[in-house]
């Protein structure tokens, strides 16, 4: 059996503002933007190098109940983890694009990491995993 996680839904206030943030500020690629009728769209964005793997499904909030969760899908915990092969390159690029980091970068046993917020306040980790120790 082979399975993989394909997409994660991110509830957003507005399709177009979310697309702009993820493609312009984070540098993600717009994978799909397909109208579904009744104002709904199938919008997928993915980081560069994702190679057709997992993507974010941007789902515009439908009514006040869903709007309550925009920016707080995990109760204030880090929601998503964006790994990179060059932490400092991406950290400086994101800073130059106006991405708001919540802390200074730090070295952990597992990675170089810093938390940032997306346009709605959802928390993300930018991290470069450290190589596994040679045994």
């Amino acid at each position: 059996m082979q399975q993989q996680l394909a997409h994660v839904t991110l509830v957003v206030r507005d399709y177009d503002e979310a697309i702009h943030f993820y493609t312009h500020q984070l540098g993600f690629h717009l994978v799909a933007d397909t109208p579904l009728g009744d104002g709904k769209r199938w919008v997928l964005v993915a980081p560069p190098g994702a190679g057709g793997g997992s993507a974010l499904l941007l789902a515009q909030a439908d009514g006040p109940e869903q709007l309550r969760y925009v920016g707080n899908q995990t109760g204030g915990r880090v929601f998503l983890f964006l790994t990179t092969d060059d932490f400092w390159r991406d950290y400086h690029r994101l800073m130059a694009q106006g991405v708001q980091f919540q802390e200074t970068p730090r070295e952990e046993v597992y990675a170089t990491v810093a938390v940032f917020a997306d346009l709605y306040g959802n928390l993300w980790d930018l991290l470069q995993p450290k190589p596994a120790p040679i045994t």
Side-chain angles (χ1 to χ4, degrees):
M1 176 186 289
Q2 182 179 4
Q3 298 178 336
Q4 78 176 28
L5 190 59
H7 311 306
V8 174
T9 300
L10 179 64
V11 181
V12 300
R13 184 176 39 238
D14 177 82
Y15 288 120
D16 294 322
E17 75 178 357
I19 290 169
H20 185 269
F21 175 82
Y22 284 98
T23 61
H24 289 87
Q25 288 187 265
L26 291 191
F28 283 24
H29 299 287
L30 181 61
V31 175
D33 186 357
T34 307
L36 300 175
D38 295 327
K40 294 185 186 258
R41 291 154 60 181
W42 179 261
V43 178
L44 292 173
V45 294
S54 61
L56 282 179
L57 173 65
L58 304 179
Q60 186 169 290
D62 185 14
E65 179 65 21
Q66 289 181 11
L67 257 166
R68 287 185 23 202
Y69 294 98
V70 171
N72 192 23
Q73 294 197 158
T74 58
R77 300 287 307 258
V78 170
F79 176 43
L80 296 165
F81 299 80
L82 182 62
T83 61
T84 177
D85 62 346
D86 187 334
F87 178 87
W88 293 106
R89 173 199 65 210
D90 292 341
Y91 175 79
H92 291 298
R93 181 182 55 80
L94 294 173
M95 290 283 290
Q97 290 299 321
V99 172
Q100 299 296 308
F101 279 84
Q102 308 299 297
E103 62 184 13
T104 56
R106 64 187 193 281
E107 294 293 330
E108 295 289 348
V109 173
Y110 61 92
T112 303
V113 63
V115 175
F116 69 90
D118 70 12
L119 77 162
Y120 300 114
N122 292 301
L123 299 178
W124 291 62
D125 268 2
L126 174 66
L127 60 103
Q128 180 177 357
K130 293 189 176 169
I134 298 173
T135 57

